[in-house]
């Protein structure tokens, strides 16, 4: 596949080379009109004999054109309606033009063979005679070079303000004839455009410099842009190129590692197709969630994961209160401002195609044990506890026979059908069904069976450009991803269209229209809703190697779970989002800008859950439906959400003596969302192949949800700086929300920030050569939070009404046989607290921005403290006879502290080699300051609690001998840990407080017995590393993301870590075999026969197949605490840009081919099977999609 | 500066536009409690959500729940019987939620605009459920605060002390009287919806429970102040007689096949035609209300293992005690099982799998031998494997896990009422309700009920820890046999204060036959009976008689409400 596409590219390139080259020449001829015979003649030397009698101008021009080789160039509308009269005689062209100019008030300019016509505005003035300016042409030539003095082929050299010009040849040389007062404009993609006056020269050589970030760089901030040097808040900018050309499905995944302060957590479904990552900013802000950053796309809140990453121009991350204050109540935990690409005025139209084809494979995949080993290990665990051997001897004999290929032995088992053809399993004793799991005789690694690879594709096409007054950008993208499982339809597709048209109605009035459309389709197996989607991974892990894939007749067994994954139905989620944004900016006077925008979004979600019946085969070849999969059914949910918002603001810039610079901004924001959904369910599909509500026969159950919410806000910003040295900014915002009730719904949120650009001071000159810039800044601000309106429970919006929760669900009861479940009932109202109101986050931030060594090294540092108070928390506990959950009150305070450091080094080495390296580090930790927990019980939050802390016992060893057990248990009372007896190989919990007992005391802060804080699950000391290198046409880049410190405790049910659970739930991998065993093995039990089986120096404790017995060794303790630190190579790319000379022949601006790898390597101390980013799953650690290893081949072509 | 005017104007403009209305939004698809409870339909819709609270077949209840009694064991000894149940922590909020919910209904009855006739059945259901939920808690905790209306934060009632159990029991009975008054007859409501007959039956259960509890716990830590057992026996007798003699739909399932009628009763999907079944829960895979009962009775065991004590309480088919131990010395394993099936009360072979029994009709699968050597979900530690409730002809027989079973779950049956009656009547005045007991005997083809001297029970005799009359012994024994595995045994030993049935003793299994299990040797006692808990319970069950009859009040509740007394010795 890879080879083929590469060949295709090369072939296409060759073909287009010839065609484009010809075209290219043609264009050059057209523009420069070189080689014309009259070229050298001045208009004074060209004579013609013409005469007119009240002729229209156009006729005059036509006549002259036929008489000479000159052509007139004009805008028809500019021509006056005047008529001309001229007696017929021979005159020079110059003379003729003088007469015409006089009569018609025109001005002429000659360039080559063209005569440009425009109105002579001065002609009206009586004092001045109408003038005809006829410029002398001059021939100029020169060479355009880059900073390494290499010729730049294909650079554009035009007369400024016209489209007349040429492009440089392969050596970078150009020749052009221009009027002697012309200004040349030389441009080349990626370089700073230069305007050069001819000033009498004939040779003009131009050295271009690359367009790198400069200090005048503008930063997108809330409701505007600001010079980076004047920003006083904490803002980080991510360039769009970092996100381009990568194969990760969603923008949120792409942000990993690129900006300090961003934290990531992935849901229970891990990196499933189309997965988005939950992004946090500066750690936990609220114990109630809803503490992610506010995402604003081109000024309008939106979902970043619905965007096409290729459409992103840049991203600003506003981290402190000062930066995000203008967004008030919606942005207490920072803002991610996404700016999409635009065209610009006076820009040639460019068309860019980019495409990627990728192959994804799982990384970090565990392998199962040989089934015989698996059986003996399980039996050993079974014998150690209650229950005995888990896999009986007869089955083990079958396993050995199967592995030895002794099928006759298997055929000899009771009831084995004589005509059976497969030998992975035998009929269950005395039954008509085939044995599975511990009764099967197969030897199959189910990870190998289920995991394969996926082919993903991505195509983008964009078009951008602009005329004098209008610019546009248009793009369309298609993305297709599938999961790496071999079974089941697990796909994600996204289709995007984005457009942006900006037009100047007048020079003081702009209008922008921006439509955005996205459609995503996710299809995933639902396992017949026996559990969540991640049940698949639980099932794969617990399907034993002994489990047959095929029964005796070659039918796929239900207990392989393949029919459940593959055929028991899928959920299809179609989301269409349609944005329409209009905005207009008026600049009636200098410095004043009036902005108004309106955005309307319709999100249409159609979800269809189909649960289909699958069948198992019995020994007598009859077919029975798999219990869970009956009855087949379909649920369709249609949600149509509309949302609109409008921002209206006025800003005024004023500068006094170029020293005092003021800016004032005031505005309002309104938003309103209207959510409607309807769902219907019907049981018993008549035809499984066509699942729809119409093709089902059961009684329909229908339900509806209606909900509207709204916010309104008023904001203002005042910015002042003195000569760019002293900076001051203040924001205020006054917000109201329908989430709270009258009297509680308005919040006032102010912020202030100060900055000092030390490098602007005179005293700085002495060190300017080393330290180019230094800015010190600080901020204080308060912002409100009412939770995420899209995820808050609907009832949360009515804290003052005792609502009867009506349900259209079915009651799990049937009043009469055959009648079905009654539909609809009324629930019990909960208690309410009408006084709930805003939670407020207050952030103090100090920061430094520095650059050194001609700006080659840049450093940004921020330190912050964020205190969120009035969070909703528990009220004082009430006796349980109250019979319901107590409503929350605003009484919790959480404090987060942290810092961010970002360093960037960029350097160009002379011979076409440049590189840059960026590193960011950050850290934060959150502590509960106020929380109502009078007893200090550790089973709840308490004051002083560091979020994420893990309490546990100290344990350093196992009991290695019976003597150790006896000695220890006779002196230390362990009865609080378990009522079960202690065995060799069990964990030896230490009596750290020496009271003769190991227990958790009263389980309170003051009395926690022998437990202590042994770790913390919060990722600490996170970092990202970026590096890139450009050498001639090659570019190389990589991005690493890591966490330096994190602890994880895997609970008793996390059998990917522990291996053993109950017999049916165990998942054994080779490293799990390092478990304690001190009894001799035999051919059915233990890993080796006789004393060779001993492993008393084991890492894992003695395994059992009983939860109670295993649990006693899995009480959170230091011995089995794991490190969640990791470093991952998020992306690495190697690209090659076709050289400019080839490009210019192809008439293309850019062609880049590249290979890219996502998640190629992850280094982590966690056992195989556990992705350090996707740790959690509803079925236990590791039972989810880890980040796949994706290798891509890509092509970008810009015309 | 002329422009400033416009700036200010634009500044003020949005303030004029703004209004509170924009963010004042009312609920669109929910209704305020104050606008509800107006019609009979409102009440019906509010009450029917309690039905699912009735017990199910399936995971944790019948027959599994009998593992907390001397009838059944699992792989690990029961914590209550063994006296190692931990004190309850946390709060008991959830247990009170249904009571609060029903009280909200009673509080809002003033909203109703319909005629009583239209909603009295639903009101009766509410009273029944209040009694049901409170009785469950009374049995668990003993004394309880009684609440007749919703309580809110700040109400003094939140902190009230526990009311004596007599008040609670009387209040439950009062609610049941209301239920009896309001509920439709079974002939109208059917037997899958609450009806007058069920309310009467429940009343007999509550009254018998309370009467015997007060009587047998007298003089212990659990004694009831102001106890008056006879009052409750009388109530039980009255309610029973009302049901027995009144014009109600009731009876025993008797098709004239004494060998199979009793067994057949419990394994049916549709029980709506059975007079005996006063209330049952319908299971239906078509409505996604299947369960695992047949899986656990016809395929696996879920570790359920019946005890020697239960098995030996069955009389011989001549109506006299049977010498099980004597038989065990000669017949082992399958032989033993086959023999007792032939010799004893037919209800025994309806309850325990006997080798050769048809287990799954569709695949012609027969019970071969008990799963004593199996592990995990297949373990049958004692050799007595649960057969009651199975049905080889059920569509779910022999199938895999996955909610295939549709067997009805009996919640009240007339047979229990007869036994409640017999016990209450005897406790009240020493009369043996021979007629009623004989109805049960007749159905299974056993000789008429007779009072057998306790001495003749021989090694089968169980020890209640106190002396009981021969008649009472016989009545209790009949109850144990007839209601085996239906969940009553747990409450029975508790109300009888009969911890001696198991305290200090180890549950035993059948006489094991080594030839049938060459690879497996269970622990055995001196008589060759399986003694599965030999190592787990060296001294037998460690039930704490001064403590374990009641569950502890959750610790947090005592802290929050100092007026609450803890149960004895917790």
């Amino acid at each position: 596949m890879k080879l083929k596409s590469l060949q295709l590219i090369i072939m296409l390139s060759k073909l287009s080379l010839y065609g484009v080259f010809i075209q290219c020449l043609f264009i050059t001829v057209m523009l420069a009109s070189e080689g014309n015979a009259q070229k050298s003649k001045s208009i004074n030397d060209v004579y013609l004999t013409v005469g007119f009698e009240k002729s229209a101008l156009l006729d005059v021009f036509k006549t002259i054109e036929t008489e000479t080789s000159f052509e007139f160039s004009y805008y028809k509308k500019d021509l006056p309606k005047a008529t001309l009269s001229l007696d017929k005689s021979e005159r020079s062209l110059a003379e003729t033009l003088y007469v015409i100019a006089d009569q018609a008030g025109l001005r002429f300019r000659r360039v080559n063979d063209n005569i440009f016509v425009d109105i002579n505005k001065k002609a009206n003035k009586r004092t001045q005679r109408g003038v005809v300016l006829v410029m002398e042409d001059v021939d100029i030539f020169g060479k355009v070079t880059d900073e390494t003095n290499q010729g730049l082929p294909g650079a554009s050299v035009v007369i400024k303000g016209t489209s007349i010009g040429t492009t440089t040849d392969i050596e970078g040389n150009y020749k052009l004839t221009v009027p002697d007062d012309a200004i040349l404009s030389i441009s080349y993609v990626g370089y700073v455009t230069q305007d050069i006056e001819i000033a009498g020269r004939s040779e003009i050589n131009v050295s271009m410099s690359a367009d790198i970030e400069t200090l005048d760089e503008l930063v997108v901030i809330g409701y505007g842009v600001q010079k980076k040097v004047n920003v006083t808040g904490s803002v980080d900018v991510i360039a769009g190129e970092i996100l381009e050309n990568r194969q990760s499905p969603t923008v949120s995944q792409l942000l990993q590692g690129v900006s300090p302060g961003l934290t990531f957590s992935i849901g229970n479904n891990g990196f499933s197709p189309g997965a988005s990552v939950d992004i946090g900013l500066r750690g936990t802000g609220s114990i109630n969630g809803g503490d992610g950053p506010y995402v604003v796309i081109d000024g309008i809140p939106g979902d970043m994961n619905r965007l096409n990453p290729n459409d992103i121009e840049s991203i600003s991350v506003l981290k402190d209160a000062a930066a995000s204050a203008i967004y008030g109540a919606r942005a207490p935990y920072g803002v991610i401002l996404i700016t999409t690409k635009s065209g610009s005025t006076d820009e040639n139209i460019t068309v860019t195609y980019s495409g990627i084809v990728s192959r994804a494979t799982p990384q970090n995949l565990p392998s199962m044990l040989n089934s015989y080993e698996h059986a003996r290990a399980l039996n050993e665990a079974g014998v150690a506890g209650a229950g005995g051997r888990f896999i009986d001897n007869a089955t083990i004999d079958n396993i050995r026979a199967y592995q030895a290929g002794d099928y006759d032995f298997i055929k000899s088992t009771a009831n084995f059908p004589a005509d059976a053809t497969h030998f992975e399993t035998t009929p269950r004793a005395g039954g008509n069904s085939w044995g599975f799991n511990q009764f099967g005789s197969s030897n199959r690694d189910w990870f190998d069976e289920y995991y394969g690879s996926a082919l993903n594709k991505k195509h983008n096409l964009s078009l951008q450009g602009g005329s004098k007054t209008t610019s546009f950008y248009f793009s369309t993208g298609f993305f297709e991803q599938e999961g790496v499982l071999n079974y089941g339809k697990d796909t994600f597709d996204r289709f995007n269209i984005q457009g942006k048209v900006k037009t100047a109605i007048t020079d003081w009035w702009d209008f922008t229209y921006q439509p955005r459309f996205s459609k995503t389709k996710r299809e995933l197996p639902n396992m017949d809703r026996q559990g969540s989607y991640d049940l698949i991974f639980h099932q794969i892990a617990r399907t034993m190697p002994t489990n047959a894939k095929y029964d005796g007749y070659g039918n796929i067994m239900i207990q392989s779970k393949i029919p459940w994954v593959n055929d028991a139905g899928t959920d299809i989620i179609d989301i269409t989002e349609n944005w329409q944004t209009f905005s207009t900016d008026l600049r009636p006077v200098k410095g004043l800008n009036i902005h108004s925008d309106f955005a309307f979004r319709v999100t249409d979600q159609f979800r269809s859950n189909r649960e289909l019946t699958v069948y198992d085969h019995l020994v007598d070849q009859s077919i029975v439906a798999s219990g869970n999969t009956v009855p087949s059914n379909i649920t369709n949910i249609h949600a149509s959400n509309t949302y609109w918002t409008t921002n209206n603001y006025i800003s005024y810039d004023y500068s006094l003596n170029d020293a005092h610079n003021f800016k004032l901004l005031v505005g309002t924001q309104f938003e309103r969302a209207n959510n409607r959904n309807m769902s219907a369910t019907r049981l018993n599909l008549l035809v499984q192949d066509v699942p729809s509500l119409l093709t089902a026969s059961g009684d329909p159950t229908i339900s509806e949800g209606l909900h509207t919410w709204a916010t309104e806000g008023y904001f203002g910003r005042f910015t002042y700086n003195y000569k760019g040295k002293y900076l001051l900014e203040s924001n205020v915002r006054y917000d109201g929300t329908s989430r709270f009730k009258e009297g509680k719904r308005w919040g006032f949120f102010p912020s202030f920030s100060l900055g000092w650009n030390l490098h602007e001071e005179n005293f700085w000159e002495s060190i300017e050569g080393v330290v180019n810039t230094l800015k010190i800044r600080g901020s204080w601000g308060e912002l409100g939070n009412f939770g995420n309106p899209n995820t808050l429970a609907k009832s949360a919006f009515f804290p003052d009404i005792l609502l009867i929760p009506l349900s259209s669900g079915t009651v799990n009861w049937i009043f009469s046989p055959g009648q079905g479940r009654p539909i609809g009932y009324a629930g019990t109202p909960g208690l309410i607290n009408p006084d709930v109101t805003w939670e407020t986050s207050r952030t103090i931030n100090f920061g430094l921005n520095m650059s050194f060594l001609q700006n080659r090294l840049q450093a940004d540092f921020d330190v912050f403290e964020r205190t969120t108070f009035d969070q909703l928390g528990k009220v004082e506990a009430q006796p349980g006879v109250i019979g319901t959950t107590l409503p929350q009150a605003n009484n919790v305070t959480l404090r987060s502290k942290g810092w961010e450091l970002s360093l960037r080094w960029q350097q160009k080495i002379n011979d076409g080699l440049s590189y840059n390296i960026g590193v960011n580090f950050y850290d934060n930790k959150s502590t509960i300051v106020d929380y109502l927990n009078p007893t200090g019980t550790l089973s709840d939050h308490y004051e002083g609690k560091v979020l994420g802390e893990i309490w546990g016992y100290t344990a350093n060893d196992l009991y290695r001998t019976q003597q150790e057990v006896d000695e220890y248990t006779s002196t230390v009372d362990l009865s609080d840990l378990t009522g079960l007896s202690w065995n060799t190989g069990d964990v030896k919990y230490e009596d750290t407080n020496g009271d003769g007992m190991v227990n958790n005391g009263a389980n309170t802060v003051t009395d926690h017995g022998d437990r202590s804080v042994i770790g913390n699950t919060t990722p600490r000391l996170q970092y990202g590393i970026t590096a890139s290198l450009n050498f001639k046409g090659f570019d190389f880049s990589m991005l690493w993301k890591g966490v330096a410190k994190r602890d994880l405790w895997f609970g008793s049910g996390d059998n990917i870590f522990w291996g053993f659970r109950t017999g049916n739930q165990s998942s054994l991998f080779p490293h799990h075999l390092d478990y304690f065993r001190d009894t001799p093995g035999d051919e059915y039990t233990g890993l080796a026969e006789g004393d060779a089986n001993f492993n008393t120096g084991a890492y894992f404790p003695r395994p059992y197949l009983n939860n109670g017995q295993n649990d006693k060794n899995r009480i959170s303790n230091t011995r089995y605490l794991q490190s969640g630190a990791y470093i991952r190579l998020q992306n690495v790319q190697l690209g090659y840009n076709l050289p400019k000379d080839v490009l210019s022949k192809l008439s293309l601006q850019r062609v880049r081919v590249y290979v890219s790898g996502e998640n190629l390597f992850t280094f982590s101390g966690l056992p195989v099977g556990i992705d350090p980013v996707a740790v959690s799953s509803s079925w236990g650690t590791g039972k989810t999609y880890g980040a796949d290893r994706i290798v891509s081949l890509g092509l970008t072509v810009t015309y | 500066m002329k422009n400033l005017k416009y700036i200010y104007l634009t500044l003020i403009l949005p303030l004029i536009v703004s209004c509170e209305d924009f963010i004042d939004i009312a609920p669109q698809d929910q209704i305020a409690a104050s606008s509800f409870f107006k019609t009979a339909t409102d009440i019906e819709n509010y009450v029917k959500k309690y039905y699912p609270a009735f017990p199910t077949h399936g995971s944790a209840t019948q027959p599994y729940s009998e593992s907390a009694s001397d009838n059944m064991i699992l792989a690990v000894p029961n914590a209550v019987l063994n006296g190692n149940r931990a004190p309850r922590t946390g709060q008991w909020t959830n247990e009170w939620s249904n009571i609060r919910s029903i009280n909200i209904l009673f509080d809002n009855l003033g909203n109703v605009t319909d005629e009583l006739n239209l909603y009295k059945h639903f009101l009766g259901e509410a009273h029944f459920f209040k009694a049901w939920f409170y009785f469950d808690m009374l049995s668990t905790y003993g004394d309880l605060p009684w609440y007749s209306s919703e309580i809110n934060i700040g109400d003094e009632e939140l902190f009230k002390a526990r009311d004596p159990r007599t008040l609670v029991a009387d209040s439950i009975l009062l609610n049941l009287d209301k239920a009896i008054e309001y509920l439709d007859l079974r002939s109208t409501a059917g037997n899958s919806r609450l009806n007058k007959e069920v309310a009467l039956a429940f009343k007999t259960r509550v009254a018998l429970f309370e009467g015997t509890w007060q009587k047998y716990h007298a003089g212990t830590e659990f004694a009831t102040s102001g106890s008056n057992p006879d009052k409750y026996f009388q109530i039980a007798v009255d309610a029973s007689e009302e049901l027995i003699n009144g014009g109600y739909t009731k009876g025993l399932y008797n098709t004239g096949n004494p060998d199979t009628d009793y067994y057949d009763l419990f394994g049916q999907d549709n029980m709506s035609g059975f007079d005996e079944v006063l209330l049952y829960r319908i299971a239906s895979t078509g409505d996604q209300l299947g369960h695992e009962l047949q899986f656990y009775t016809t395929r696996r065991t879920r570790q359920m293992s019946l005890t020697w004590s239960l098995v030996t309480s069955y009389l011989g088919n001549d109506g006299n005690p049977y010498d099980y131990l004597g038989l065990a010395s000669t017949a082992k394993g399958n032989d033993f099982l086959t023999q007792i099936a032939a010799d004893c009360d037919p209800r025994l072979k309806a309850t325990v799998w006997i080798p050769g029994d048809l287990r799954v009709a569709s695949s012609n699968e027969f019970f071969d031998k008990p799963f004593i050597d199996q592990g995990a979900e297949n373990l049958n530690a004692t050799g007595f494997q649960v057969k009651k409730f199975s049905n080889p002809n059920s569509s779910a027989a022999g199938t895999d896990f996955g909610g295939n079973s549709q067997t009805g779950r009996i919640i009240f049956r007339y047979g229990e009422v007869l036994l409640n009656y017999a016990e209450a009547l005897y406790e009240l005045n020493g009369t043996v309700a021979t007629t009623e007991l004989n109805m049960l005997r007749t159905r299974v083809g056993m000789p008429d009920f007779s009072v057998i001297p306790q001495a003749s029970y021989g090694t089968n005799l169980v020890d209640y820890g106190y002396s009981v009359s021969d008649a009472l012994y016989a009545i209790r024994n009949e109850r144990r046999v007839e209601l085996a595995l239906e969940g009553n045994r747990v409450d029975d030993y508790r109300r009888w204060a009969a911890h001696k049935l198991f305290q200090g003793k180890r549950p035993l299994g059948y006489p094991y036959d080594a030839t049938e299990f060459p690879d497996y040797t269970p622990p055995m006692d001196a008589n060759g009976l399986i003694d599965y808990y030999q190592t787990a319970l060296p001294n037998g069950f460690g039930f704490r008689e001064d403590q374990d009859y009641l569950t502890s009040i959750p610790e947090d509740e005592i802290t929050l409400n100092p007026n609450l007394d803890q149960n004895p010795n917790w």
Side-chain angles (χ1 to χ4, degrees), chain A residues 386-390 392-393 428-434 436 438-439 559 589 592 594 611 620 625-628 630-631 633 644 650 652 664 666-668 670-672 674-675 683-684 704-712 714 736-743 745-746 794 797-798 801-806 811-831 875 877-887 935 980 1064 1106, chain B residues 1 3 6-7 10-11 14-15 17-34 36-37 42 44-52 54-55 75-76 91-94 96-98 100-101 104 125 145 147 150-154 157-159 189-193 270-272 279-289 292 299-300 362-366 373-379 398 400-404 411 519 532 557 559-561:
Chain A
R389 284 181 186 172
F390 187 73
D392 57 33
N393 297 357
R428 197 166 49 83
N432 188 19
S433 58
W434 295 97
F436 58 86
Q438 72 264 39
F439 304 108
Q559 286 298 338
V589 280
L592 180 69
I594 302 172
E611 297 170 33
D620 64 6
S626 171
N628 301 306
V630 177
N633 63 82
W644 62 258
I650 301 168
Y652 184 65
L664 181 70
V666 287
T668 68
F670 291 79
E671 56 179 350
R672 193 176 188 96
N674 197 349
N675 300 341
L683 304 184
N684 297 314
E704 187 181 41
L706 298 171
H707 182 45
T708 301
W709 60 266
T711 70
E712 60 181 295
Y714 303 91
T737 167
S738 64
R739 157 82 173 82
F740 306 121
K741 288 308 134 191
E742 215 165 340
R745 61 170 52 132
W746 290 94
K794 209 192 293 176
F797 286 83
F798 310 104
I801 307 174
L802 196 66
L803 286 174
I804 298 273
L806 297 175
V811 179
N812 286 339
W813 186 269
I814 293 171
F815 284 126
S816 173
Q819 205 182 51
R821 289 188 276 173
I823 294 166
Y825 59 91
T828 305
L831 285 177
V875 294
Q878 299 288 324
V881 292
I882 202 158
T884 188
T885 316
L886 302 174
T935 58
L980 300 166
N1064 285 319
N1106 170 289
Chain B
M1 286 297 108
N3 293 318
Y6 298 107
I7 298 173
T10 338
L11 241 171
L15 292 169
V17 175
S18 97
C19 59
E20 192 89 5
D21 285 353
F22 188 75
I23 48 173
D24 199 15
I25 295 164
Q28 292 160 296
D29 58 2
Q30 300 289 299
I31 190 166
S34 53
F36 198 67
F37 302 114
D42 286 354
E44 181 182 12
N45 279 330
Y46 192 78
V47 173
K48 69 183 173 191
K49 66 171 177 280
Y50 305 125
Y51 271 95
F54 279 126
V76 177
Q91 286 201 260
W92 61 3
T93 314
N94 282 343
W96 287 91
S97 64
N98 284 321
R100 168 180 180 268
S101 176
I104 288 174
E125 289 180 319
Y147 292 106
E150 191 205 353
I151 31 174
N152 272 298
I153 298 173
E157 285 236 285
L158 270 178
F159 298 95
N191 63 348
S192 287
R193 182 151 206 160
N270 186 341
M271 298 172 166
S272 58
L279 181 70
Y280 83 107
R281 184 176 194 132
I282 297 172
S284 158
T285 55
D287 296 291
Q288 293 171 308
L289 288 180
E292 310 293 347
R299 180 153 175 187
R300 292 194 182 173
S362 63
S363 59
N364 218 24
E365 187 183 332
F366 292 88
D373 59 339
Q374 305 280 302
E377 296 278 272
N378 278 346
L379 173 70
D400 195 4
F401 183 88
N404 297 304
I411 296 165
D519 293 332
Y532 193 73
E557 295 294 343
T559 318
L560 288 167
N561 178 5

Side-chain angles (χ1 to χ4, degrees), chain A residues 549-561:
Chain A
K549 178 179 179 186
Y550 301 107
D551 69 11
Y553 292 102
N555 304 301
I556 290 184
M557 288 190 71
I558 278 282
Q559 286 298 338
S560 69
K561 286 91 176 181

Side-chain angles (χ1 to χ4, degrees), chain B residues 209-275:
Chain B
F209 181 92
E210 189 53 27
T212 46
W213 181 283
Q214 291 186 10
K215 178 170 177 179
Y216 291 101
H217 286 285
T220 74
E221 305 250 18
F222 302 100
T224 311
S225 68
S227 80
N228 182 2
D230 284 354
K231 171 181 146 191
Y232 298 98
F233 294 138
Q234 186 66 55
I235 291 171
V237 167
D238 290 349
S240 308
E241 287 179 349
E242 169 68 21
L243 187 57
I244 292 166
N245 302 321
Y248 299 103
T249 311
K250 83 280 175 178
L252 290 184
Y253 177 73
N254 191 340
T255 66
N257 297 309
D259 231 28
T260 57
D261 278 346
Y262 176 82
Y263 173 65
D264 289 348
L265 169 64
F266 302 100
Q268 303 304 313
D269 292 357
N270 186 341
M271 298 172 166
S272 58
F274 298 175
D275 283 354

